[in-house]
Amino acid sequence: MTTTHTLDVPGARLHYEVRGSGPLLLVMGAPMDAGAFAPLADALASDHTVVTHDPRGISGSTLDDPGQDSTPELRADDVAALLDALGAETADVFGSSGGAVTGLALVARHPGRVGTLIAHEPPVMELLPDAAEQRAATEDIILTFHREGQPAAWRKFMVNAGFDQPSDDGEGTGGQAQTAPPVFKPSPRDIANGVRFFAHELRGTAAYIPDITALKAAPTRTVVGIGATSGALITYRTSMALAERLAVRPVEFPGDHGGFLGQPVEFAEVVRRVLKG
């Protein structure tokens, strides 16, 4: 059974969901909402109390100021408030993509609140040798959004991420890029979330610099996750760079950047294995 809740935090009202029983595990993304993680959460709920939430400004989590930018630090403070509301001193955390960046900020800003952090493919672009080029690419994507709209911005975003995009003649862009996820017709909520992402979230997430000293000093065990088929993606590069700086060996998960979507049961088994240490 899944129960839904709301929590007032500074400047926002968070939507979160609780399912299952057992040790507390927070599963989160950014900008992906709670619904995107429902299959994975269901697969983990037999032996964990799994909490998912909509990040501030996304889906059911509303803002007092819709123009407020979302940063990993703000999102980390939201998660700490969520732990307080759950009456939990600590919890394990699985974060993917921007949610992994949130998790890194959570460990650095709130030491001792996270037992194990699984940071699955965090896009920590500032750790790359070509960080300046990636910064420029992010700004170009945001500018494209404002000038040409979401479809054009998403195309640039996906190409920069390493996904192969079809050309006008139906052929891919070639090379070793990953095949892009199938095209779908966005709902009004998807469109609103996309606006939020490009206008107020992408820059802050991509610009985040992990506090390596704080991460190493924290009592948290930080695990870096990489998709088995993510080799062509920029998040493979960022994850490897983070693992190198933390002096940890990355753990392979099924699929690519969104492996938890296509193989939630298999993905959950790896999460369990990692949490058992």
Side-chain angles (χ1 to χ4, degrees):
M1 182 180 72
T2 301
T3 59
T4 61
H5 310 265
T6 56
L7 173 66
D8 288 324
V9 295
R13 187 171 179 83
L14 299 182
H15 167 91
Y16 70 97
E17 302 175 2
V18 182
R19 46 167 62 77
S21 61
L24 183 60
L25 172 63
L26 272 59
V27 173
M28 59 194 187
M32 297 183 81
D33 62 14
F37 291 95
L40 177 62
D42 287 341
L44 289 164
S46 61
D47 53 2
H48 286 84
T49 299
V50 184
V51 178
T52 56
H53 75 284
D54 297 345
R56 60 169 52 220
I58 296 294
S59 295
S61 290
T62 57
L63 294 171
D64 294 344
D65 174 13
Q68 181 193 51
D69 288 337
S70 175
T71 66
E73 293 86 356
L74 269 176
R75 299 195 302 267
D77 291 349
D78 289 345
V79 176
L82 186 53
L83 287 173
D84 291 341
L86 293 165
E89 183 63 30
T90 63
D92 293 326
V93 173
F94 170 84
S96 186
S97 194
V101 179
T102 304
L104 294 170
L106 176 65
V107 172
R109 289 173 67 81
H110 301 276
R113 302 303 303 267
V114 181
T116 294
L117 167 66
I118 303 175
H120 178 253
E121 300 206 1
V124 280
M125 308 296 194
E126 291 295 322
L127 299 186
L128 296 177
D130 59 339
E133 290 87 347
Q134 293 303 325
R135 215 174 297 132
T138 296
E139 291 303 318
D140 181 57
I141 290 166
I142 295 169
L143 183 60
T144 298
F145 163 71
H146 288 296
R147 285 183 173 175
E148 303 175 37
Q150 277 196 58
W154 277 120
R155 282 194 294 272
K156 282 192 174 181
F157 177 86
M158 297 301 283
V159 168
N160 191 66
F163 288 102
D164 190 19
Q165 293 293 290
S167 60
D168 292 339
D169 61 6
E171 297 296 326
T173 55
Q176 299 300 310
Q178 282 279 47
T179 301
V183 175
F184 68 98
K185 184 176 181 180
S187 67
R189 173 170 279 193
D190 294 327
I191 293 170
N193 288 345
V195 169
R196 177 75 191 160
F197 175 61
F198 287 118
H200 298 290
E201 187 173 312
L202 174 57
R203 182 182 288 115
T205 297
Y208 181 74
I209 303 174
D211 187 336
I212 301 300
T213 300
L215 291 170
K216 287 183 173 181
T220 299
R221 180 171 68 108
T222 298
V223 176
V224 180
I226 297 181
T229 59
S230 289
L233 301 181
I234 196 169
T235 47
Y236 179 88
R237 294 175 56 210
T238 57
S239 299
M240 291 297 290
L242 176 63
E244 181 179 0
R245 283 163 175 75
L246 292 175
V248 299
R249 188 171 184 173
V251 174
E252 186 175 278
F253 282 78
D256 58 13
H257 193 60
F260 54 89
L261 294 169
Q263 299 171 266
V265 174
E266 296 84 352
F267 202 99
E269 285 306 309
V270 180
V271 172
R272 287 190 178 93
R273 187 166 70 243
V274 170
L275 292 179
K276 288 177 181 176

